[in-house]
Amino acid sequence: MDFTPTEDQLSVQRVARDFAERNLAPKAAARDVSGEFPIAELRELGKLGLLGIAVPEAFGGGGMGAIAYSLALQELARGDAAVAVAVSVTNMVAELIAQNASPALAQRWVPRLVSGELVCGAFALSEPEAGSDPGAMRTLATRTATGWRLSGSKQWITSGDHAGAMVVWAITDPAAGRKGISAFVVDGKAPGLTVARLEDKLGLHGSSTAQLVLDGVEVDDDAMIGEPGRGFALAMLALDGGRIGIASQAVGIARGALEAAVRYAGERQTFGQPIIKHQAIGGMLADAATWLDAATLMTLRAAHAKQQGHPYAQLAAMAKLFASEHAWKICDIALQVHGGYGYVRDFPVERALRDVRVTRIYEGTSEIQRIVIARNLIRGSM
Ligand code: CAA
């Protein structure tokens, strides 16, 4: 299996790296303190074509596929993980709409999402009592003369307060269980849609996490993505792709932290030599570099399978599980190598450790990834 990046994919990666090094990394520490949402940066990323890299060209996207997308997202996360997650959710939402909605609905929303005009997208699936188990959602869609009225609340919605458009899941047929859930495109400024709370988080301070209340939000019939009752399966499909995004984000954060640790270990002297020459430090960094390489390859392998149109849910779950768990360990090693300096804000590894922690939780916790992987094993998929 050859998933060596092509020249085109490498050129998207270079554009993302250049943008991240010039516009994201220098401001990341300040954004972590201020919590300022990166509106200008997202608009700029839209102009550069980096908000919809994997979105079909017919809807204004780059049509570059999952490998270019993963490579670019790794670079953005290396610069500022808070910006990368907004990009990742926007791309996931845009792909979901482009590939599954009617052409008219897709044309209405996707070009404006990927151009940055709407700033970003949001994925409103989870609820206060339905996170790992979205089938237990309560948000209800009731019939009106021309469409549906949505009522309920959504929890942990990345960019929920800034998204110009979001996909909202709601029950359209309460008797049908998971097959009674449908997905709708909702205007971020729709009357009745309010932000009830913004979370105060351990990390990713430049990314907002909102609790949303839908109090009779009216949508037209044609706002539904696909057929009634297809919403749960659509959420699962979107999350398969989303998990490649989060694996890429974890890889990018870990790479930035490891680079900082190697740099520091080459400069910092103890007992008369750079600390990287002490076997205890060199060994930790060697483990971290090995895990990072494995995580990168697993992420690109999942992206390659997606791009080739092969089944990839299992590979995406494995990549997300391995990348997020090991990125956390890599960031911890990077902090440890810095000693006391790692624990203070003057060096970037303290922020990396806080930012990377959530990759083990969102878009399916590590425990959920193991469920997905084990179920695929039972079905005979290795
Ligand atoms: N692709 C397509 N269809 C799928 C699918 C997939 N990957 N996985 C399941 N389905 C279909 C099944 O085939 C089944 O359809 P049938 O009834 O026709 O057979 C249906 O969906 C129900 O499947 P399950 O019985 O497997 O469903 P389940 O309730 O047992 O759940 C689960 C399975 C994998 C645990 C799922 O609940 C899950 O992924 N949970 C985690 C949710 C999650 O990741 N949430 C993150 C929210 S987004 C986020 O974090 C926001 C952010 O902003 C970053």
Side-chain angles (χ1 to χ4, degrees):
M1 191 187 316
D2 181 17
F3 42 86
T4 313
T6 63
E7 199 37 56
D8 283 352
Q9 291 160 350
L10 290 172
S11 107
V12 175
Q13 180 187 36
R14 275 194 295 274
V15 173
R17 179 179 300 163
D18 186 54
F19 183 84
E21 287 181 350
R22 281 170 199 263
N23 300 301
L24 301 184
K27 292 189 271 183
R31 189 180 306 285
D32 176 54
V33 174
S34 70
E36 188 192 339
F37 193 81
I39 296 176
E41 287 76 5
L42 288 167
R43 287 199 197 279
E44 204 53 42
L45 284 163
K47 283 190 200 141
L48 285 172
L50 294 174
L51 274 188
I53 294 168
V55 172
E57 284 173 285
F59 299 104
M64 292 291 297
I67 293 180
Y69 168 64
S70 171
L71 292 171
L73 205 60
Q74 291 174 32
E75 297 298 335
L76 298 179
R78 179 171 163 264
D80 188 341
V83 178
V85 71
V87 173
S88 148
V89 173
T90 303
N91 191 91
M92 171 166 67
V93 164
E95 266 194 89
L96 168 64
I97 302 171
Q99 285 163 2
N100 299 283
S102 68
L105 183 61
Q107 280 300 352
R108 194 176 320 149
W109 292 105
V110 179
R112 291 193 291 145
L113 267 172
V114 300
S115 69
E117 183 189 331
L118 298 176
V119 182
C120 60
F123 190 84
L125 176 70
S126 300
E127 299 190 358
E129 291 184 60
S132 288
D133 179 12
M137 73 174 58
R138 294 187 190 160
T139 296
L140 207 57
T142 48
R143 264 278 174 217
T144 63
T146 55
W148 300 87
R149 183 177 294 122
L150 312 183
S151 295
S153 60
K154 295 288 172 182
Q155 180 76 12
W156 313 125
I157 309 307
T158 299
S159 315
D161 55 337
H162 284 95
M166 58 185 77
V167 178
V168 175
W169 278 262
I171 300 167
T172 46
D173 180 357
R178 283 160 182 61
K179 288 203 162 48
I181 296 172
S182 303
F184 300 88
V185 185
V186 174
D187 190 322
K189 295 194 171 64
L193 175 64
T194 51
V195 176
R197 175 187 161 89
L198 287 172
E199 304 300 340
D200 186 5
K201 309 189 295 289
L202 175 70
L204 284 189
H205 293 157
S207 157
S208 56
T209 306
Q211 185 186 70
L212 303 176
V213 171
L214 296 110
D215 185 9
V217 173
E218 306 260 357
V219 291
D220 290 339
D221 254 331
D222 61 5
M224 189 184 286
I225 307 175
E227 310 84 56
R230 190 147 180 257
F232 190 87
L234 288 178
M236 294 298 109
L237 278 170
L239 284 168
D240 290 340
R243 287 166 187 163
I244 297 175
I246 301 307
S248 307
Q249 186 197 21
V251 163
I253 301 171
R255 179 162 299 126
L258 181 57
E259 285 167 355
V262 170
R263 213 164 34 240
Y264 182 83
E267 288 163 5
R268 175 76 172 167
Q269 305 257 341
T270 60
F271 307 102
Q273 57 180 350
I275 61 172
I276 200 164
K277 293 204 172 160
H278 298 308
Q279 287 185 355
I281 304 294
M284 284 197 284
L285 292 171
D287 279 348
T290 307
W291 296 332
L292 182 63
D293 202 38
T296 308
L297 290 172
M298 288 178 77
T299 303
L300 289 176
R301 185 177 64 151
H304 178 259
K306 180 177 184 221
Q307 192 157 315
Q308 296 297 112
H310 297 152
Y312 69 95
Q314 170 85 329
L315 296 177
M318 285 177 163
K320 199 239 180 211
L321 174 64
F322 189 89
S324 61
E325 292 292 333
H326 286 83
W328 162 249
K329 291 185 193 168
I330 293 165
C331 291
D332 187 47
I333 285 176
L335 191 151
Q336 188 69 18
V337 165
H338 282 75
Y341 292 107
Y343 198 64
V344 296
R345 290 195 170 201
D346 304 6
F347 287 80
V349 289
E350 174 268 349
R351 173 164 43 84
L353 189 72
R354 287 186 288 105
D355 284 352
V356 83
R357 183 63 179 82
V358 74
T359 64
R360 295 170 59 201
I361 298 173
Y362 60 21
E363 297 203 20
T365 60
S366 291
E367 293 67 36
I368 288 291
Q369 306 313 319
R370 291 186 178 99
I371 291 176
V372 173
I373 296 163
R375 285 185 183 181
N376 278 288
L377 290 179
I378 293 163
R379 292 190 202 110
S381 159
M382 280 290 283

